Amino acid sequence: MLDRSGVAEMLEQAISSSGPARQLSPRAVLLGILLSIATSKVAHLSAAYRCLCDLPVIDQVRLGVVRHTRDGLKTASYRQFEHSFTVMMAPIDPSPVPSFRGVAPTKRAGHLAKRRAGVETGTKEAMLVELIDALLEASVPEARRGRRCLAVDWTDHESWARPKDKLSQEISADPDAAWGHAKRNAPGAKDGVFWGYYAQVAVIAPEEGAKPDPELICRVVVKSASIEPADEMSGLLERMAASGAGPSDVLADCGYSFKTGFSRRLRSIGAEPVMDLHPFDRGPKGTFEGAVCANGSLYCPCVPDRLLALGPLVRGAPAEVVAAHDCSCGELERYRFAPLSRADEEGYERVMCPAAAGKLRCPLVEASLSLSFAHPSVTDPPVTPPRCCRQRSITVPPNVNDKTRQKHPYPSPVHRRSYARRTAAERAYARLADPAGEGVRRGWCRLFGTAKNTLMYSLAAVVHNLRLLESRERQDLAEARRSTPAASRPRRRRRRRHEQQQPPAAPAPDDSPTVPG
């Protein structure tokens, strides 16, 4: 997988030739970390070094861990492994603006130094992103690359360092970490704050109505908890679309949809958002040309208020509650403006009046009165009809329902079934944190800085993908073995001895008297 990604060659070209010769290459260092995550469940450099030393001697010689000298075989020391890791991280770890010591620089010299440092930081960040994307794409099979459905989510990733002390004015050992809020959904767990990063993943989810496949992680973003996660994820998806691997559907929770502009940025790259709405964004939010704006759609001005107040189903709702909710959603759909065309390049789309589309009966549309009474009827039309009632269709600009517009009407049964695929991201986090899996937790990685934590988290995602693919391969082999009929064995016939093969019977004793001669 490392050879297929080309990451080792990228790092070798970026590392300068100055300095002492290195015995260990970036390929050997990355392989040691992957082995450590897969076997020891930690991302420590000491554990990675031990994993390399535990390999067979022929593999150690091939990777450069052991080399031939005049005195025999010489194994690389841990200091050499740590130095090789530091040299490998130098081209992809953004450094802060250098501080001048001793003589104070002039204003122009300080400005040029900051500008040069900013350009270098941007270059290193771009190389880190390219390296991480190449690693994760190499762990995904060829058949699952390209345009695909993605489930996105973020979680807390605590730093091994402790926060700075306000009393003693001590600076934290991890300057990139920050305070963040962690929401616990587990029973009995309480929400709280943490010191560290927000780790985000984009997991490949199944398409609507498709067969479930291994839920592989194709992108990872680890940023300081002080940075807005939704903006980082939007930028990541835009980079994917620019590379030709843009997502088809994006499944996100209300933490993303509550951010203004997230849905618009997804639609601008050709992706269809399927989101849960924040409680503050649900229900009617004004009007446009007389039509009611609610939950990302336009509805007839005479829609009942009880239908606009519909919300998502609670978890574990009984069957009768689900049936009643679906019936109300079907009635609400009768009042929704029907789309006539997809949005154009500027985001404008055309929608039709529900009465003109034959979805309900309205006195203002005479043709709709010929419909059966099974359709809802508008009994009290407005005295002064607005523009949406005077015209057969209207044009909706992109700023209308810009925050809540999505693929399926909310909270319809179609939206509920489509949004249920977002649990792929939750399961990915559960596998990463499981001690039987990768065991990602506080202390799992004891390195500081955004670049190092991003690399380690991405390598854990690579191990997660390889583990899932191996499990699926074993399942396919077992299923093929069960479906293949067993070869029939030849029936063993019982051998019977014939009379001629039986031994002759012993002669009967002769009782006749003996005649003397």
Side-chain angles (χ1 to χ4, degrees), residues 64-76:
V65 181
V66 172
R67 63 179 179 179
H68 295 278
T69 61
R70 292 182 300 176
D71 300 332
L73 296 178
K74 181 181 179 181
T75 305

Side-chain angles (χ1 to χ4, degrees), residues 83-104:
H83 172 71
S84 299
F85 178 79
T86 304
V87 174
M88 183 190 73
M89 291 298 301
I92 59 177
D93 192 0
S95 58
V97 177
S99 58
F100 296 91
R101 297 179 181 179
V103 182

Side-chain angles (χ1 to χ4, degrees), residues 214-376:
E215 297 162 347
L216 306 177
I217 301 175
C218 65
R219 289 295 185 275
V220 167
V221 178
V222 179
K223 290 293 183 180
S224 174
S226 60
I227 300 177
E228 179 61 39
D231 294 339
E232 293 295 327
M233 180 55 66
S234 301
L236 183 146
L237 297 176
E238 289 174 351
R239 290 195 303 269
M240 292 182 64
S243 63
S248 56
D249 295 349
V250 177
L251 315 173
D253 59 3
C254 59
Y256 290 96
S257 63
F258 189 66
K259 180 66 178 179
T260 303
F262 180 77
S263 177
R264 180 182 68 252
R265 296 177 68 174
L266 293 185
R267 295 194 303 271
S268 64
I269 61 176
E272 292 287 351
V274 180
M275 310 175 298
D276 183 24
L277 299 183
H278 195 274
F280 294 163
D281 295 331
R282 299 170 188 169
K285 300 295 179 183
T287 60
F288 172 74
E289 302 292 353
V292 180
C293 302
N295 298 330
S297 302
L298 294 179
Y299 293 93
C300 174
C302 299
V303 58
D305 294 338
R306 63 177 181 84
L307 296 179
L308 293 178
L310 284 175
L313 279 171
V314 296
R315 184 180 301 176
E320 55 271 13
V321 176
V322 175
H325 182 272
D326 293 349
C327 182
S328 300
C329 290
E331 185 179 357
L332 177 63
E333 178 64 21
R334 299 279 189 175
Y335 292 89
R336 191 172 73 95
F337 276 68
L340 288 178
S341 61
R342 296 178 61 89
D344 57 9
E345 297 179 355
E346 298 180 357
Y348 289 85
E349 61 179 354
R350 195 81 177 171
V351 295
M352 179 185 291
C353 169
K359 300 170 65 175
L360 58 83
R361 296 163 48 88
C362 180
L364 299 179
V365 182
E366 297 183 359
S368 65
L369 299 178
S370 60
L371 298 173
S372 64
F373 285 93
H375 298 75

Side-chain angles (χ1 to χ4, degrees), residues 95-146:
S95 58
V97 177
S99 58
F100 296 91
R101 297 179 181 179
V103 182
T106 61
K107 184 176 181 180
R108 179 176 177 81
H111 176 70
L112 292 177
K114 291 182 179 180
R115 183 176 180 181
R116 191 182 305 110
V119 172
E120 183 181 359
T121 300
T123 304
K124 291 184 177 181
E125 289 181 353
M127 186 174 180
L128 176 64
V129 170
E130 183 182 0
L131 183 143
I132 296 303
D133 293 348
L135 271 175
L136 292 170
E137 282 293 333
S139 64
V140 178
E142 288 284 349
R144 305 199 63 187
R145 298 180 186 178

